[in-house]
Amino acid sequence: MGSSPSSPVLTKEVMEEYLLLTYLSEREIFRLYTMLCSLCTVDFNGTLRNFAFRFPVTSIEQLFPELMYNPFKDRIFRVFSSLRDGKMSFEDLLDLCSVMSENCPAQVKAAYAFQIFDFDEDNCIGEQDLTEALNRLIGGFGSVTSSQLSRITNTLLGKMDFTKSGSIGETEFVHALGKMPEFSIAFSFRL
């Protein structure tokens, strides 16, 4: 996005830029800014002085219970952390909140969901990625045998792998999620 690290406050110009670059409203951007100002990196006036400051994800979790209890939080933080360093800047959080906004198009949400579910980061979702996702979703909610897990992953691959490559590419993933109207609702939270 575009502010320099020395930007003293959320100016009108910076706000206009963020409005153009995100799916967030002015109220939502200001709310996020206010939330971050409540954390430790504030000056005596309570204003966030350095938009490039990188907050540890443990601090971010405290602001967003939706993420704190999400079984994919580590992947979400990794995908949206611009430096992939276990920390997030104000602009990283703007990106995250923009994608999780109800105003974000389903295709954009699905492209980010693809990155989150690509655990091995090989630009495709294979059987191991699906197994990891399923284990995270069902973890602690009963026992599923390895043969049941294998059957589920094979079924998913069979339904989503149009090219029969043995894995799901981003285009296939986005297409499949586009047929699930509840996906956009599930992949959202409000500021």
Side-chain angles (χ1 to χ4, degrees), residues 6-51:
S6 62
S7 293
V9 291
L10 191 57
T11 64
K12 181 180 178 181
E13 293 78 22
V14 170
M15 177 64 81
E16 287 174 1
E17 183 177 352
Y18 290 153
L19 287 169
L20 286 173
L21 295 173
T22 70
Y23 299 103
L24 299 173
S25 68
E26 185 172 342
R27 183 195 63 78
E28 291 168 320
I29 294 168
F30 188 73
R31 169 101 169 100
L32 179 60
Y33 176 79
T34 303
M35 290 168 68
L36 288 179
C37 284
S38 72
L39 295 177
C40 60
T41 309
V42 295
D43 71 4
F44 63 94
N45 291 324
T47 57
L48 182 63
R49 292 281 180 198
N50 182 353
F51 286 169

Side-chain angles (χ1 to χ4, degrees), residues 125-159:
I125 296 176
E127 187 173 350
Q128 288 180 327
D129 296 313
L130 290 172
T131 300
E132 177 66 23
L134 289 169
N135 280 327
R136 288 178 182 221
L137 288 170
I138 62 174
F141 292 108
S143 61
V144 176
T145 67
S146 59
S147 65
Q148 289 171 318
L149 204 53
S150 181
R151 191 169 56 245
I152 295 167
T153 57
N154 287 331
T155 299
L156 289 170
L157 280 170
K159 298 284 185 194

Side-chain angles (χ1 to χ4, degrees), residues 76-92:
I76 293 168
F77 286 133
R78 178 152 175 85
V79 167
F80 285 95
S81 172
S82 57
L83 300 180
R84 296 191 178 220
D85 61 354
K87 298 178 181 177
M88 297 186 77
S89 69
F90 175 68
E91 291 186 350
D92 292 341

